[in-house]
Amino acid sequence: MKEKFSITGMSCSACSAGIERTVARAEGVERVEVSLMGESMLVEYDENKISTQEIIDTVINLGYGAMLYEENALKERAPQPDRLKKRFFISLCLLLPLMFFSMGGMVGLHSLDERISVTAQMLLSIAVIVINFKFFTSGTKALIKRVPNMDTLVSMGAAVSFLYSLVYTVLLYLGKVSHAHMFYESAAMILTLVTLGKWLEEKSKRKTGDEIEKLIKLMPATVTAERGGAEVKLAFADIRQGEVLIVKQCEYIPVDGKIIEGHGFIDRAAITGESMPVEVQEGDKVTGADIVVSGYLKVLAEKIGADTTLSQIIKMVKEAGASKAPLQKIADKIAGIFVPAVTAIALFTFLIWLGISYDIAKAANYAISVLVISCPCSLGLATPVAVMAATGKGMSLGILYKDAEALQNAKDINCVLLDKTATLTVGKPKVTDFVAYKENEKELLRLAASIESRSNHPIAECIRAYCEQEVGQVRVEVNDYAYITGKGASASLDGNTYYLGNRKLIAGVDDKKAYALEKEYSAQGKTAVYLASDKQLLAVFAIADTLKEESKEAVALLKAKGVRVGMLTGDNEQVAKAIAKEVGIEDYFAEALPEDKAKAVARVQEVGGFVAMVGDGINDSPALKAANIGVAMGDGTDIAMDAADIVLSRGDLRLVDTMVELSKATVRNIKQNLFWAFFYNCVAIPIAAGVFAFAGFTLNPMIAAACMSLSSLFVVSNALRLTRFGKKKEEVNDMKKTIKVEGMMCPRCVAHVTKALQSVEGVSEVEVNLKKKTATFLTDGTVADERIVEAITEAGYEVK
């Protein structure tokens, strides 16, 4: 059985590693994976040997919180608790007078009697310890369970500082010593600075999930439904499957469904990343989070809640962010032994300095510094924060990585194999050429539309659509309609019989001309469909599955990076050759069955290829599974998406190049983080231990605590740079501006203001806040404020 749990209270990779080791030791547990960033644990276990509650109790006994994971993807993240913020500011208020008592004399301030000063320091440090006692409870529980973590090191450093000072305070009162160096301020400073670091780190870590939160917030709190012929306001959670929902201009569509009435334009940028609104009408499918830019729609709710596309995307991204990249395994192994190793180094440092200097204060100073400066957090956060930031950014670009391994491995792609139909091409037949051999062209088009109106064949539908586009929906009444399988259709009009189909259907009518046309169009990858009477050829339609607009550019981008590009298709040789030539692909494999595509992938892998297979259909699934990286088009079949490692949420092949670049940027970021984490600990621990004391370069515990907090912040901040992936270099000089906009009353107003600002050349990244009545945007420095005011005013609003 596989179960997912929510875990709270983890502060570093030593925490997650400790939970993994402890739960893995329980009888009946087969596999455990704990995600520090995802705050979750995935457990595979034998339910006959261990229960869910026993697993939860095992985690709780370690000092962490645990519960079954709530699978509501559309639930908004709880606001960040401010207990760390409160703890920091209260600790800071106590720390400032403590610093006065301990160090006031060093900066020329009035010094109090030593006993009074030491007593005040002791009381103030006790107060700081009480406020931050969570470090001690968490650290001690972890130590008792033999899974020490960062809290163990912090609490040990603070406790040793306080207890050392307390002993000497007692000796001072007893008159056994006349003066002693106290570490009360060190104990308080350690706890205060680490609390500050954890608070800032938590704020930064939450930013990595901002892209997901933006999507979740797209769902409206209330919707309008049609019940009993009347419009009724409902809570989002009360929507039922089969419900008819009414969506007006500037409102978000809350479900996946079908338009049963209305016409309009919808913006699908949230899901697909498409920049231009799409026209929709009765019968068209819509997706939750689409926004109605203009129009009025009635939508039949087909998928609601967890079944919607939006929910599935959010779930996929969250799971990818919580998964572990192969690079993280190294860090996890080190984190598992990090705290015991640091504790041993601190003890060894104390004994060495005590033996060298015979000064217990100096020895304690160095030992405490070692405990405090070491940072398992930076090591543990190096990979997961980068993975979470990258998966969130990928989602906003239309790239859905299913796990961290796919995200890491995509950088190694050196060969991309592309399916043809609906991947390189649109996937729907289209009339590309029409030639009439009689003068009355419009009459021929009306005749063709009338014949094809009786058929639902894809080619018939595309011919009918083309004819109606050219001459409207005016048809003539035909009789004796007959469909001949594999050839086409025939019908009679005014006593004459007409044929519309392939060359076999019109055999004996202008054979030489028909053959020449078929040969000519076939060389171009097109299919010839003839309109003829009993005596002569009247017209010819050329049908083809046309290339997507971006396919040529996508192939060129990959080839420019040295990536080998090939095409696999089940289509015939002539069509395959024509498409490959048009798109710029030299290597192609025509008339390929599903197993042939998988074998083609294997052959490339045998000669050193790290293959990405891109496809959309059921016939691509074996190749998607066989490839090193399977990439499914988001508008393809569910089977293809299940078989793939990465899903492109819109059918834009240029995203393959972006996918590889984002992978490279992420791995580069992870390596930078790991280098910093290793470098920091390898350099900081020897300095804290006093290795460079001979040169006068030493640290005290307060500075050590500050260094430790900054180390984690550095790693998280570096990972957050991934959220800027894809921004143009020239945007570095962009100016961020915020204006106050009066007159906005509803989401429709927000859309109007957003559109007005986006229409100004040089303005980008527009965000309008209805509650605050503000608009924030970037300008490239060439946009005058007057132009901004003019655009808003023309839209009917006032700028303050």
Side-chain angles (χ1 to χ4, degrees):
M1 183 175 179
K2 186 184 288 187
E3 195 72 72
K4 194 173 184 179
F5 301 84
S6 290
I7 308 294
T8 58
M10 295 187 293
S11 59
C12 67
S13 59
C15 298
S16 56
I19 294 172
E20 275 189 8
R21 288 200 306 273
T22 304
V23 174
R25 285 198 294 260
E27 186 181 359
V29 174
E30 296 163 6
R31 188 174 77 88
V32 186
E33 188 174 287
V34 178
S35 169
L36 175 62
M37 286 296 296
E39 296 184 328
S40 60
M41 174 175 71
L42 187 65
V43 184
E44 288 184 23
Y45 63 97
D46 184 347
E47 63 268 34
N48 297 318
K49 295 182 180 179
I50 188 170
S51 67
T52 301
Q53 190 57 48
E54 286 174 316
I55 294 172
I56 291 173
D57 291 340
T58 302
V59 177
I60 291 174
N61 290 336
L62 292 175
Y64 305 98
M67 65 189 78
L68 285 173
Y69 192 83
E70 188 177 351
E71 288 287 358
N72 184 2
L74 294 178
K75 182 180 179 182
E76 285 193 35
R77 182 171 54 182
Q80 182 181 355
D82 59 359
R83 59 177 180 272
L84 285 172
K85 179 181 176 181
K86 289 178 180 176
R87 272 169 49 185
F88 166 68
F89 282 110
I90 295 172
S91 299
L92 183 63
C93 291
L94 295 168
L95 180 64
L96 293 176
L98 175 54
M99 296 299 291
F100 166 75
F101 287 119
S102 65
M103 297 182 175
M106 298 180 187
V107 293
L109 297 176
H110 177 68
S111 298
L112 300 174
D113 177 76
E114 186 167 10
R115 291 191 179 188
I116 296 174
S117 175
V118 168
T119 303
Q121 290 179 52
M122 178 182 69
L123 294 174
L124 288 167
S125 63
I126 288 174
V128 174
I129 288 171
V130 170
I131 291 165
N132 296 284
F133 203 67
K134 182 77 170 67
F135 286 120
F136 295 88
T137 54
S138 172
T140 304
K141 281 183 179 179
L143 186 62
I144 291 170
K145 295 291 183 178
R146 294 182 297 170
V147 284
N149 55 23
M150 189 199 78
D151 289 350
T152 307
L153 292 176
V154 172
S155 59
M156 284 175 65
V160 170
S161 300
F162 178 79
L163 292 174
Y164 170 88
S165 303
L166 183 63
V167 170
Y168 271 88
T169 300
V170 173
L171 293 176
L172 184 67
Y173 270 94
L174 294 176
K176 300 292 185 182
V177 295
S178 58
H179 175 77
H181 180 73
M182 302 296 179
F183 287 103
Y184 285 126
E185 80 285 352
S186 294
M189 182 70 83
I190 289 167
L191 296 172
T192 303
L193 286 178
V194 173
T195 301
L196 171 63
K198 287 172 77 81
W199 171 44
L200 294 177
E201 180 186 311
E202 185 63 28
K203 284 185 70 175
S204 298
K205 283 197 294 185
R206 286 176 73 87
K207 287 182 182 178
T208 62
D210 281 354
E211 296 291 350
I212 297 174
E213 287 301 302
K214 285 178 185 176
L215 272 188
I216 294 174
K217 289 176 180 177
L218 294 181
M219 288 295 97
T222 59
V223 299
T224 305
E226 186 177 72
R227 289 184 176 177
E231 292 187 12
V232 182
K233 288 286 184 182
L234 296 176
F236 174 74
D238 295 334
I239 299 173
R240 298 194 298 255
Q241 194 169 8
E243 191 113 55
V244 175
L245 303 176
I246 296 171
V247 191
K248 302 173 185 176
Q249 185 172 330
C250 295
E251 292 181 348
Y252 284 98
I253 297 171
V255 297
D256 290 3
K258 183 172 70 173
I259 298 172
I260 59 172
E261 184 182 320
H263 168 271
F265 287 84
I266 60 172
D267 184 346
R268 288 182 164 153
I271 299 295
T272 67
E274 293 176 80
S275 58
M276 297 298 292
V278 178
E279 186 175 8
V280 291
Q281 58 190 355
E282 185 177 331
D284 288 339
K285 297 283 186 179
V286 289
T287 305
D290 290 348
I291 184 171
V292 180
V293 178
S294 66
Y296 174 93
L297 305 176
K298 284 188 179 181
V299 178
L300 179 68
E302 295 179 334
K303 292 182 179 179
I304 63 173
D307 296 327
T308 62
T309 301
L310 179 64
S311 290
Q312 295 301 315
I313 288 173
I314 291 171
K315 182 181 178 184
M316 188 187 300
V317 174
K318 282 184 174 180
E319 288 177 351
S323 63
K324 291 188 177 183
L327 279 171
Q328 193 174 341
K329 293 174 183 177
I330 304 167
D332 284 350
K333 286 180 181 178
I334 295 170
I337 60 169
F338 187 87
V339 177
V342 168
T343 306
I345 292 170
L347 181 60
F348 186 66
T349 299
F350 177 79
L351 295 174
I352 291 292
W353 277 105
L354 187 61
I356 293 173
S357 64
Y358 299 102
D359 184 344
I360 193 169
K362 182 181 283 188
N365 181 78
Y366 287 128
I368 294 167
S369 295
V370 168
L371 287 172
V372 175
I373 204 168
S374 53
C375 188
C377 282
S378 59
L379 197 61
L381 291 170
T383 301
V385 287
V387 168
M388 185 164 280
T391 51
K393 185 61 186 177
M395 180 188 68
S396 71
L397 294 171
I399 305 165
L400 306 176
Y401 299 93
K402 286 192 177 179
D403 54 44
E405 187 172 356
L407 173 61
Q408 178 180 323
N409 291 340
K411 74 180 191 310
D412 297 321
I413 293 170
N414 57 24
C415 177
V416 175
L417 299 179
L418 303 168
D419 172 47
K420 179 186 75 70
T421 306
T423 300
L424 279 166
T425 63
V426 175
K428 293 180 180 177
K430 180 181 177 182
V431 175
T432 60
D433 304 89
F434 172 70
V435 179
Y437 298 105
K438 276 187 68 177
E439 289 183 4
N440 200 338
E441 183 177 304
K442 289 187 176 180
E443 287 300 321
L444 293 175
L445 289 170
R446 289 192 186 98
L447 174 61
S450 301
I451 295 172
E452 298 294 38
S453 66
R454 303 288 188 92
S455 172
N456 60 1
H457 191 283
I459 289 181
E461 288 180 356
C462 88
I463 290 176
R464 185 176 70 247
Y466 173 80
C467 295
E468 291 177 352
Q469 180 184 326
E470 294 296 315
V471 297
Q473 294 192 356
V474 181
R475 299 174 188 162
V476 291
E477 192 64 37
V478 295
N479 302 305
D480 304 323
Y481 173 85
Y483 176 73
I484 300 94
T485 304
K487 294 181 180 180
S490 66
S492 61
L493 176 67
D494 297 333
N496 298 315
T497 302
Y498 296 95
Y499 303 90
L500 187 59
N502 58 27
R503 194 162 59 88
K504 293 177 182 177
L505 182 67
I506 62 165
V509 179
D510 286 342
D511 277 341
K512 287 186 178 180
K513 182 186 282 189
Y515 177 75
L517 285 168
E518 184 177 67
K519 188 175 180 181
E520 178 188 342
Y521 285 131
S522 180
Q524 299 172 32
K526 300 174 182 179
T527 301
V529 176
Y530 307 95
L531 175 62
S533 64
D534 287 321
K535 300 177 181 178
Q536 63 178 323
L537 184 63
L538 302 175
V540 62
F541 295 86
I543 313 291
D545 181 7
T546 56
L547 274 181
K548 292 178 180 177
E549 291 181 4
E550 64 276 2
S551 292
K552 285 184 183 179
E553 184 184 348
V555 171
L557 285 169
L558 291 169
K559 290 171 76 173
K561 288 182 169 60
V563 176
R564 182 183 174 190
V565 182
M567 183 181 77
L568 305 176
T569 178
D571 222 327
N572 64 61
E573 174 71 22
Q574 289 284 6
V575 172
K577 184 178 180 180
I579 292 292
K581 183 179 180 181
E582 187 178 356
V583 81
I585 294 176
E586 290 79 26
D587 302 317
Y588 65 90
F589 183 2
E591 300 177 19
L593 297 172
E595 56 268 29
D596 295 327
K597 292 184 178 183
K599 289 175 182 176
V601 169
R603 284 198 298 272
V604 177
Q605 289 171 329
E606 286 171 5
V607 293
F610 195 89
V611 181
M613 173 65 199
V614 186
D616 74 304
I618 295 172
N619 62 328
D620 299 316
S621 299
L624 290 170
K625 278 289 187 185
N628 300 95
I629 300 287
V631 182
M633 308 301 277
D635 47 7
T637 64
D638 290 342
I639 293 175
M641 285 188 272
D642 288 342
D645 304 295
I646 300 171
V647 177
L648 307 181
S649 65
R650 66 181 193 270
D652 189 341
L653 265 182
R654 290 172 297 187
L655 290 178
V656 176
D657 177 70
T658 308
M659 169 193 90
V660 175
E661 287 302 305
L662 180 54
S663 172
K664 289 179 179 177
T666 305
V667 172
R668 187 163 56 244
N669 191 282
I670 290 172
K671 287 180 177 177
Q672 289 167 354
N673 286 345
L674 287 173
F675 171 78
W676 168 254
F678 284 119
F679 174 79
Y680 166 80
N681 283 293
C682 290
V683 172
I685 291 175
I687 292 174
V691 171
F692 301 100
F694 68 90
F697 187 33
T698 60
L699 298 175
N700 62 43
M702 291 181 289
I703 296 174
C707 291
M708 190 270 281
S709 297
L710 288 172
S711 175
S712 295
L713 280 174
F714 176 87
V715 166
V716 175
S717 300
N718 187 49
L720 282 174
R721 291 192 305 114
L722 287 169
T723 61
R724 294 280 298 169
F725 175 83
K727 305 292 182 186
K728 295 178 182 178
K729 291 182 179 178
E730 54 267 27
E731 287 184 0
V732 173
N733 296 319
D734 282 355
M735 181 184 296
K736 187 175 184 179
K737 291 188 177 184
T738 300
I739 57 174
K740 191 86 172 175
V741 182
E742 294 294 340
M744 293 193 298
M745 306 294 291
C746 66
R748 186 179 302 176
C749 298
V750 172
H752 288 162
V753 173
T754 301
K755 187 176 180 180
L757 286 170
Q758 288 175 338
S759 68
V760 179
E761 189 175 349
V763 171
S764 61
E765 294 193 24
V766 178
E767 286 188 18
V768 180
N769 190 308
L770 179 60
K771 188 176 180 182
K772 295 181 179 179
K773 308 291 186 187
T774 60
T776 303
F777 51 90
L778 291 180
T779 71
D780 59 9
T782 64
V783 184
D785 290 345
E786 291 77 13
R787 180 69 189 92
I788 300 292
V789 174
E790 182 185 344
I792 299 294
T793 305
E794 286 177 357
Y797 304 91
E798 185 181 358
V799 177
K800 293 289 187 182

